[in-house]
Amino acid sequence: MNYLESLYWIHERTKFGIKPGVKRMEWMLDRLNNPQLNIRGIHVGGTNGKGSTVAYIRAALVENGYEVGTFTSPFIETFNERISLNGLPITNDEIVELVEIVKPISEVLEQETELGGATEFEIITTMMFVYFGQIHPVDFVVVEAGLGIKNDSTNVFNPILSVLTSIGLDHTDILGNTYLDIAKDKGAIIKPNIPVIYAVKNEEALKYIRDLAESSEAKPIELDREIVVVSQDDEFTYRYKDYELETIILNMLGEHQKENAALAITALIELYEQEIITLDFNKMIDAIESVSWTGRIEQVKENPLIIIDGAHNNESIEALIDTIKNYYDNEKMDVLFSAIKGKPVHGMLNKLEEISNHLYFTEFDFPKALTKDELSEQVNLEHIEFIDDYVSFINNYDGNGLLITGSLYFISEVKSKTEF
């Protein structure tokens, strides 16, 4: 198989949809000699902030001389970036090599067991474990969870550290309708005797995570309790134990990014105190300050101003709005929105009206993309204008400011098809 044939085969797995559970993963990995047992992995889960936190940890470790693998989703610019080495996507040839290893196992799973075919995400996750556990071992692998934790494909290895960025009402059709339901799923990131760093705000969810960490004898390290972030304008001060790091100025905008960075710094300090890594603190902060993350409050054009952000639930929309208000002069912007099915679009659009001059909706090419008709069933379209050709709309935009948001999958499509 060549690269394009390999990608086609992977993407064809979408026909199996989303199938929670790790039995198929465990079956495949067992027949591949369990490569997941060979990695030193940091597991990062949560509703929002996972990708940024992974990027901060990776950048600091690389700057301190370590070879670091990362697993993230979805991809924004190229499929290969989902499995990256020191921040760079693996090569096309390596994707082909991984497919040649995983495909035969997947076919046996599908044809000869009662477990059914592996999903696209399960295939990609298996490829990642094979790559970092067998083909190209590294010092550390930072693994971003996909959907939830308990039944997520990534939840098949023993981490050296766990990070839970947040708990919000997302994927409620699968994870449950309340913060406590979602905490019970994402709390599965907590492993016995493994430190867990978390930034949970909802009181009911927070109590559950605290109690679970205590019963698991997992050292709990909590934002706003053990970890303190003192924010002042663009900069912040970080405090944890006897550590105080002042005047940290991130390249990534938003108060939520200061919290994500604080989680990453704490993870690195924990590894340092356990003597798992050596750490030059100046290099750590320099690396974290320089991080940028594609598709997260990313200004892609200055004149006219165009910003893209993959805000995909109520909490991330609120963080986006807060950042626009604090960092940009535009009181109101035009908003181009598209989302996937199962998202709380009514609440998301209501919040976006706060900063929008004109609210536009469009469809994009993705199996779970929300259509105009499906949107109209949830939202009064009286104040929303439908855009048939969003590529032409963006390329010819000449207003005072355009915000493109609603789904990371949509952002990926926009970046691949427009002329930024």
Side-chain angles (χ1 to χ4, degrees):
M1 298 178 76
N2 61 31
Y3 176 68
L4 290 178
E5 290 169 337
S6 297
L7 281 191
Y8 177 80
W9 178 77
I10 294 169
H11 293 322
E12 191 187 25
R13 305 297 93 195
T14 57
K15 68 185 180 184
F16 295 114
I18 297 172
K19 299 194 291 187
V22 297
K23 288 184 178 180
R24 286 173 300 279
M25 284 294 302
E26 291 172 341
W27 191 96
M28 289 190 292
L29 290 168
D30 185 58
R31 280 146 187 82
L32 291 164
N33 298 316
N34 289 303
Q36 79 281 9
L37 302 182
N38 299 332
I39 70 168
R40 287 204 294 181
I42 300 165
H43 204 184
V44 180
T47 304
N48 297 306
K50 299 188 295 290
S52 302
T53 304
V54 167
Y56 291 133
I57 294 171
R58 182 261 305 155
L61 287 172
V62 170
E63 188 65 22
N64 274 274
Y66 294 100
E67 191 170 43
V68 183
T70 53
F71 180 64
T72 57
S73 62
F75 72 90
I76 301 298
E77 295 180 327
T78 172
F79 174 85
N80 301 27
E81 72 194 45
R82 299 185 72 164
I83 305 173
S84 290
L85 180 64
N86 294 337
L88 298 175
I90 63 173
T91 67
N92 292 355
D93 288 343
E94 287 171 320
I95 291 288
V96 172
E97 180 183 5
L98 289 168
V99 166
E100 287 174 345
I101 293 169
V102 173
K103 184 173 182 284
I105 301 295
S106 167
E107 289 173 342
V108 175
L109 170 70
E110 181 180 347
Q111 296 164 10
E112 299 183 15
T113 78
E114 297 179 353
L115 296 173
T119 67
E120 180 188 41
F121 191 71
E122 288 169 341
I123 292 294
I124 301 165
T125 309
T126 303
M127 289 167 57
M128 176 271 296
F129 283 126
V130 169
Y131 186 75
F132 293 123
Q134 291 177 352
I135 293 176
H136 194 121
V138 293
D139 296 312
F140 300 98
V141 185
V142 191
V143 178
E144 177 188 341
L147 201 165
I149 298 290
K150 183 178 180 180
N151 293 303
D152 186 67
S153 304
T154 63
N155 196 32
V156 291
F157 74 103
N158 297 314
I160 58 173
L161 191 72
S162 299
V163 183
L164 183 57
T165 59
S166 64
I167 287 176
L169 297 178
D170 199 4
H171 299 295
T172 54
D173 54 330
I174 296 174
L175 303 181
N177 292 312
T178 69
Y179 284 97
L180 181 57
D181 288 336
I182 294 174
K184 288 179 178 178
D185 185 287
K186 293 186 185 291
I189 202 169
I190 297 171
K191 302 297 189 294
N193 303 305
I194 302 300
V196 57
I197 302 162
Y198 54 94
V200 178
K201 303 294 178 69
N202 176 268
E203 289 186 11
E204 195 174 25
L206 178 57
K207 182 181 186 306
Y208 178 84
I209 295 299
R210 284 175 175 169
D211 292 346
L212 181 59
E214 182 180 352
S215 65
S216 303
E217 298 184 359
K219 178 181 178 180
I221 308 171
E222 183 178 312
L223 184 73
D224 296 333
R225 187 173 67 176
E226 284 81 13
I227 309 165
V228 177
V229 174
V230 181
S231 181
Q232 184 176 9
D233 299 325
D234 292 348
E235 63 185 53
F236 73 99
T237 296
Y238 166 91
R239 297 190 184 116
Y240 173 60
K241 294 184 175 179
D242 294 330
Y243 301 94
E244 181 171 88
L245 306 172
E246 298 180 312
T247 321
I248 303 173
I249 304 175
L250 301 175
N251 188 43
M252 302 270 280
L253 301 179
E255 293 301 307
H256 59 298
Q257 289 298 349
K258 296 174 184 178
E259 295 184 352
N260 295 337
L263 297 178
I265 293 168
T266 308
L268 294 156
I269 289 174
E270 277 299 302
L271 295 176
Y272 168 72
E273 290 202 334
Q274 293 177 41
E275 299 183 348
I276 295 175
I277 63 172
T278 57
L279 191 62
D280 182 317
F281 278 63
N282 289 325
K283 288 182 178 179
M284 172 181 70
I285 296 302
D286 286 347
I288 287 174
E289 287 184 327
S290 69
V291 165
S292 59
W293 196 235
T294 302
R296 276 73 167 188
I297 310 183
E298 180 184 1
Q299 182 176 322
V300 292
K301 198 169 182 179
E302 185 173 357
N303 188 22
L305 175 66
I306 299 180
I307 298 167
I308 60 175
D309 185 78
H312 54 279
N313 52 46
N314 284 324
E315 289 84 2
S316 55
I317 288 287
E318 288 171 357
L320 169 60
I321 291 170
D322 184 62
T323 305
I324 294 294
K325 286 181 175 179
N326 289 334
Y327 290 89
Y328 291 91
D329 294 333
N330 301 47
E331 289 187 11
K332 298 273 189 177
M333 300 184 71
D334 296 325
V335 177
L336 178 63
F337 179 89
S338 197
I340 62 173
K341 299 170 187 174
K343 295 294 180 175
V345 293
H346 187 274
M348 295 166 72
L349 289 169
N350 280 345
K351 293 176 192 299
L352 285 168
E353 282 190 333
E354 184 180 341
I355 60 165
S356 65
N357 280 318
H358 301 286
L359 197 52
Y360 301 94
F361 176 79
T362 192
E363 301 174 3
F364 68 106
D365 184 19
F366 185 71
K368 295 189 293 179
L370 196 67
T371 67
K372 180 184 178 183
D373 290 340
E374 289 166 334
L375 180 73
S376 66
E377 293 174 2
Q378 303 181 53
V379 177
N380 183 348
L381 296 181
E382 186 178 327
H383 304 297
I384 303 173
E385 184 176 339
F386 184 73
I387 302 296
D388 285 305
D389 184 353
Y390 69 83
V391 175
S392 177
F393 176 81
I394 294 169
N395 288 338
N396 295 305
Y397 179 77
D398 62 354
N400 292 324
L402 178 63
L403 172 64
I404 305 170
T405 190
S407 167
L408 278 168
Y409 295 102
F410 178 46
I411 296 303
S412 178
E413 284 282 306
V414 167
K415 294 208 75 168
S416 69
K417 293 181 177 180
T418 50
E419 301 173 356
F420 297 138

